[in-house]
Coordinates of all heavy atoms in Angstrom, one line a residue:
R1 N -29.0 -37.0 -24.9 CA -29.4 -36.3 -23.7 C -30.9 -36.4 -23.4 O -31.7 -36.1 -24.3 CB -29.0 -34.8 -23.9 CG -29.3 -33.9 -22.8 CD -28.7 -32.5 -22.9 NE -29.1 -31.8 -24.2 CZ -30.3 -31.2 -24.3 NH1 -31.1 -31.1 -23.3 NH2 -30.5 -30.6 -25.5
N2 N -31.2 -36.8 -22.2 CA -32.6 -36.9 -21.9 C -33.1 -35.8 -21.0 O -34.3 -35.7 -20.9 CB -32.8 -38.3 -21.1 CG -32.4 -39.5 -22.0 OD1 -32.7 -39.5 -23.1 ND2 -31.7 -40.4 -21.4
N3 N -32.3 -35.0 -20.4 CA -32.7 -33.9 -19.6 C -33.3 -32.8 -20.4 O -32.9 -32.5 -21.5 CB -31.6 -33.4 -18.7 CG -30.3 -33.0 -19.5 OD1 -29.7 -33.9 -20.1 ND2 -29.9 -31.8 -19.5
V4 N -34.4 -32.2 -19.9 CA -35.1 -31.1 -20.6 C -34.3 -29.9 -20.6 O -34.2 -29.2 -21.6 CB -36.5 -30.9 -20.0 CG1 -37.2 -29.7 -20.7 CG2 -37.3 -32.2 -20.0
I5 N -33.7 -29.5 -19.4 CA -32.9 -28.3 -19.3 C -31.4 -28.7 -19.6 O -30.9 -29.6 -19.0 CB -33.0 -27.7 -17.9 CG1 -34.4 -27.3 -17.6 CG2 -32.1 -26.5 -17.7 CD1 -34.7 -26.8 -16.2
P6 N -30.8 -28.0 -20.6 CA -29.4 -28.3 -20.8 C -28.5 -28.1 -19.6 O -28.6 -27.1 -18.9 CB -29.0 -27.3 -22.0 CG -30.3 -26.9 -22.6 CD -31.3 -27.0 -21.4
H7 N -27.6 -29.0 -19.4 CA -26.7 -28.9 -18.2 C -25.3 -28.5 -18.8 O -24.8 -29.2 -19.7 CB -26.6 -30.2 -17.4 CG -27.8 -30.4 -16.6 ND1 -27.7 -30.3 -15.2 CD2 -29.0 -30.7 -16.9 CE1 -28.9 -30.6 -14.7 NE2 -29.7 -30.8 -15.7
L8 N -24.7 -27.4 -18.3 CA -23.4 -27.0 -18.7 C -22.4 -27.4 -17.7 O -22.5 -26.9 -16.5 CB -23.3 -25.5 -18.9 CG -24.4 -24.9 -19.9 CD1 -24.2 -23.4 -20.0 CD2 -24.3 -25.6 -21.3
L9 N -21.5 -28.3 -18.0 CA -20.5 -28.8 -17.0 C -19.2 -28.0 -17.2 O -18.6 -28.0 -18.2 CB -20.2 -30.3 -17.2 CG -19.2 -30.9 -16.3 CD1 -19.7 -30.9 -14.9 CD2 -18.9 -32.4 -16.7
F10 N -18.8 -27.3 -16.1 CA -17.6 -26.5 -16.1 C -16.5 -27.4 -15.4 O -16.5 -27.5 -14.2 CB -17.8 -25.2 -15.3 CG -16.6 -24.3 -15.4 CD1 -16.2 -23.6 -16.5 CD2 -15.8 -24.1 -14.3 CE1 -15.1 -22.8 -16.6 CE2 -14.7 -23.3 -14.3 CZ -14.3 -22.6 -15.4
L11 N -15.7 -28.0 -16.2 CA -14.7 -29.0 -15.7 C -13.4 -28.3 -15.6 O -12.5 -28.4 -16.5 CB -14.7 -30.2 -16.7 CG -13.8 -31.4 -16.2 CD1 -14.4 -32.0 -14.9 CD2 -13.8 -32.5 -17.3
S12 N -13.2 -27.6 -14.5 CA -11.9 -26.9 -14.3 C -11.9 -26.3 -12.9 O -12.9 -26.4 -12.2 CB -11.8 -25.7 -15.4 OG -10.6 -25.0 -15.2
N13 N -10.7 -25.8 -12.6 CA -10.6 -25.0 -11.3 C -11.4 -23.8 -11.4 O -11.5 -23.1 -12.5 CB -9.1 -24.7 -11.0 CG -8.3 -25.9 -10.8 OD1 -8.7 -26.9 -10.1 ND2 -7.1 -26.0 -11.3
L14 N -12.1 -23.3 -10.3 CA -12.9 -22.2 -10.4 C -12.0 -20.9 -10.2 O -12.0 -20.3 -9.1 CB -14.0 -22.2 -9.3 CG -15.1 -23.3 -9.5 CD1 -16.0 -23.4 -8.4 CD2 -15.9 -22.9 -10.8
L15 N -11.3 -20.6 -11.2 CA -10.4 -19.4 -11.2 C -10.8 -18.5 -12.4 O -11.3 -19.0 -13.4 CB -9.0 -19.8 -11.4 CG -8.4 -20.8 -10.3 CD1 -7.0 -21.2 -10.7 CD2 -8.3 -20.0 -9.0
I16 N -10.6 -17.2 -12.2 CA -10.9 -16.2 -13.3 C -10.2 -16.6 -14.6 O -10.7 -16.5 -15.7 CB -10.7 -14.8 -12.8 CG1 -11.7 -14.4 -11.7 CG2 -10.7 -13.8 -14.0 CD1 -11.4 -13.0 -11.2
S17 N -8.9 -17.0 -14.4 CA -8.0 -17.3 -15.5 C -8.5 -18.5 -16.3 O -8.1 -18.7 -17.4 CB -6.6 -17.5 -15.0 OG -6.5 -18.6 -14.1
K18 N -9.3 -19.3 -15.6 CA -9.9 -20.5 -16.3 C -11.2 -20.2 -17.1 O -11.8 -21.1 -17.7 CB -10.1 -21.6 -15.3 CG -8.8 -22.2 -14.7 CD -7.9 -22.9 -15.7 CE -6.7 -23.5 -15.0 NZ -5.9 -24.2 -15.9
G19 N -11.7 -19.0 -17.0 CA -12.9 -18.6 -17.8 C -14.2 -18.7 -17.0 O -15.2 -18.7 -17.7
V20 N -14.1 -18.8 -15.7 CA -15.4 -18.9 -14.9 C -16.3 -17.7 -15.1 O -17.5 -17.8 -15.2 CB -15.1 -19.1 -13.4 CG1 -14.4 -17.9 -12.8 CG2 -16.4 -19.5 -12.7
I21 N -15.7 -16.5 -15.3 CA -16.5 -15.3 -15.6 C -17.1 -15.4 -16.9 O -18.3 -14.9 -17.1 CB -15.6 -14.0 -15.5 CG1 -15.0 -13.9 -14.1 CG2 -16.4 -12.8 -15.8 CD1 -16.0 -13.8 -12.9
V22 N -16.4 -15.9 -17.9 CA -17.0 -16.1 -19.2 C -18.2 -17.1 -19.1 O -19.3 -16.9 -19.8 CB -16.0 -16.7 -20.2 CG1 -16.6 -17.0 -21.6 CG2 -14.8 -15.8 -20.4
L23 N -18.1 -18.1 -18.3 CA -19.2 -19.0 -18.1 C -20.4 -18.3 -17.5 O -21.5 -18.5 -18.0 CB -18.8 -20.2 -17.2 CG -19.9 -21.1 -16.7 CD1 -20.4 -21.9 -17.8 CD2 -19.4 -22.0 -15.6
L24 N -20.2 -17.5 -16.5 CA -21.3 -16.8 -15.9 C -21.9 -15.8 -16.8 O -23.1 -15.6 -16.8 CB -20.7 -16.0 -14.6 CG -20.2 -16.9 -13.5 CD1 -19.6 -16.1 -12.4 CD2 -21.3 -17.8 -13.0
D25 N -21.1 -15.1 -17.6 CA -21.6 -14.2 -18.6 C -22.5 -14.9 -19.7 O -23.5 -14.5 -20.1 CB -20.5 -13.4 -19.3 CG -19.9 -12.4 -18.5 OD1 -20.5 -12.0 -17.5 OD2 -18.7 -11.9 -18.8
T26 N -22.0 -16.1 -20.0 CA -22.8 -17.0 -21.0 C -24.1 -17.4 -20.4 O -25.1 -17.3 -21.1 CB -22.0 -18.2 -21.3 OG1 -20.7 -17.9 -21.8 CG2 -22.7 -19.1 -22.3
L27 N -24.1 -17.8 -19.1 CA -25.4 -18.1 -18.5 C -26.4 -16.9 -18.4 O -27.6 -17.1 -18.6 CB -25.1 -18.7 -17.1 CG -24.3 -20.0 -17.0 CD1 -24.0 -20.3 -15.6 CD2 -25.1 -21.1 -17.6
R28 N -25.8 -15.8 -18.2 CA -26.6 -14.6 -18.1 C -27.3 -14.3 -19.5 O -28.5 -14.0 -19.6 CB -25.8 -13.4 -17.6 CG -26.6 -12.0 -17.7 CD -25.7 -10.9 -17.2 NE -24.5 -10.8 -18.0 CZ -24.4 -10.3 -19.2 NH1 -25.5 -9.9 -19.8 NH2 -23.2 -10.3 -19.8
I29 N -26.5 -14.4 -20.5 CA -26.9 -14.1 -21.9 C -28.0 -15.1 -22.3 O -29.1 -14.8 -22.8 CB -25.8 -14.1 -22.9 CG1 -24.8 -12.9 -22.6 CG2 -26.3 -14.1 -24.3 CD1 -23.5 -13.0 -23.4
L30 N -27.8 -16.4 -22.0 CA -28.7 -17.4 -22.3 C -30.1 -17.2 -21.5 O -31.1 -17.4 -22.1 CB -28.2 -18.8 -21.9 CG -27.0 -19.3 -22.8 CD1 -26.5 -20.6 -22.3 CD2 -27.5 -19.6 -24.3
K31 N -29.9 -16.8 -20.3 CA -31.1 -16.5 -19.5 C -31.9 -15.3 -20.1 O -33.1 -15.4 -20.1 CB -30.7 -16.2 -18.0 CG -31.9 -15.9 -17.1 CD -31.4 -15.7 -15.7 CE -32.6 -15.4 -14.7 NZ -32.2 -15.1 -13.4
E32 N -31.2 -14.3 -20.5 CA -31.8 -13.1 -21.1 C -32.6 -13.5 -22.4 O -33.6 -12.9 -22.7 CB -30.8 -12.0 -21.3 CG -30.3 -11.4 -20.1 CD -29.2 -10.4 -20.3 OE1 -28.7 -10.3 -21.5 OE2 -28.7 -9.7 -19.4
K33 N -32.0 -14.5 -23.1 CA -32.6 -14.9 -24.4 C -33.7 -16.0 -24.1 O -34.3 -16.4 -25.1 CB -31.6 -15.4 -25.3 CG -30.6 -14.4 -25.8 CD -29.6 -14.9 -26.8 CE -28.7 -13.9 -27.3 NZ -29.4 -12.9 -28.2
G34 N -34.0 -16.3 -22.9 CA -35.0 -17.2 -22.6 C -34.7 -18.7 -22.6 O -35.5 -19.6 -22.7
Y35 N -33.3 -19.0 -22.6 CA -32.9 -20.4 -22.6 C -32.6 -20.8 -21.2 O -31.6 -20.3 -20.6 CB -31.7 -20.6 -23.5 CG -31.9 -20.3 -25.0 CD1 -31.5 -19.1 -25.5 CD2 -32.6 -21.1 -25.8 CE1 -31.7 -18.8 -26.8 CE2 -32.8 -20.9 -27.1 CZ -32.3 -19.7 -27.6 OH -32.5 -19.4 -29.0
P36 N -33.3 -21.8 -20.6 CA -33.0 -22.3 -19.3 C -31.8 -23.2 -19.3 O -31.6 -24.0 -20.2 CB -34.3 -23.1 -18.9 CG -34.8 -23.5 -20.2 CD -34.5 -22.4 -21.2
T37 N -30.9 -23.0 -18.3 CA -29.7 -23.8 -18.2 C -29.4 -24.1 -16.8 O -30.0 -23.5 -15.9 CB -28.5 -23.1 -18.8 OG1 -28.2 -21.9 -18.1 CG2 -28.6 -22.8 -20.3
S38 N -28.6 -25.1 -16.6 CA -28.2 -25.5 -15.2 C -26.7 -25.7 -15.2 O -26.2 -26.7 -15.8 CB -28.9 -26.8 -14.8 OG -28.4 -27.3 -13.5
P39 N -25.9 -24.7 -14.6 CA -24.5 -24.9 -14.6 C -24.1 -25.9 -13.5 O -24.6 -25.8 -12.4 CB -24.0 -23.4 -14.2 CG -25.2 -22.9 -13.4 CD -26.4 -23.5 -14.0
D40 N -23.2 -26.8 -13.8 CA -22.7 -27.8 -12.9 C -21.2 -27.8 -12.9 O -20.6 -27.6 -13.9 CB -23.3 -29.2 -13.2 CG -24.8 -29.3 -13.0 OD1 -25.2 -28.8 -12.0 OD2 -25.4 -29.8 -13.9
T41 N -20.6 -28.1 -11.8 CA -19.2 -28.4 -11.6 C -19.1 -29.7 -11.0 O -20.0 -30.2 -10.3 CB -18.5 -27.3 -10.8 OG1 -19.0 -27.4 -9.4 CG2 -18.7 -25.9 -11.4

């Protein structure tokens, strides 16, 4: 991986049942801990 900011690829349909809210909660926690991320679909 050459990118400085880790990219999280959500490879699924954007449905609650597929865990998209879990993804968003994860991004929020990482942000609060000072970890920059870039969510991609």
Side-chain angles (χ1 to χ4, degrees):
R1 176 171 59 83
N2 298 319
N3 50 296
V4 178
I5 299 176
H7 285 250
L8 306 181
L9 179 63
F10 185 74
L11 189 61
S12 182
N13 295 319
L14 290 172
L15 301 172
I16 292 176
S17 61
K18 296 293 186 180
V20 67
I21 300 300
V22 176
L23 171 67
L24 296 176
D25 287 342
T26 302
L27 295 172
R28 174 181 55 76
I29 293 170
L30 290 173
K31 184 179 179 181
E32 291 173 352
K33 292 183 178 293
Y35 296 104
T37 59
S38 176
D40 292 315
T41 65

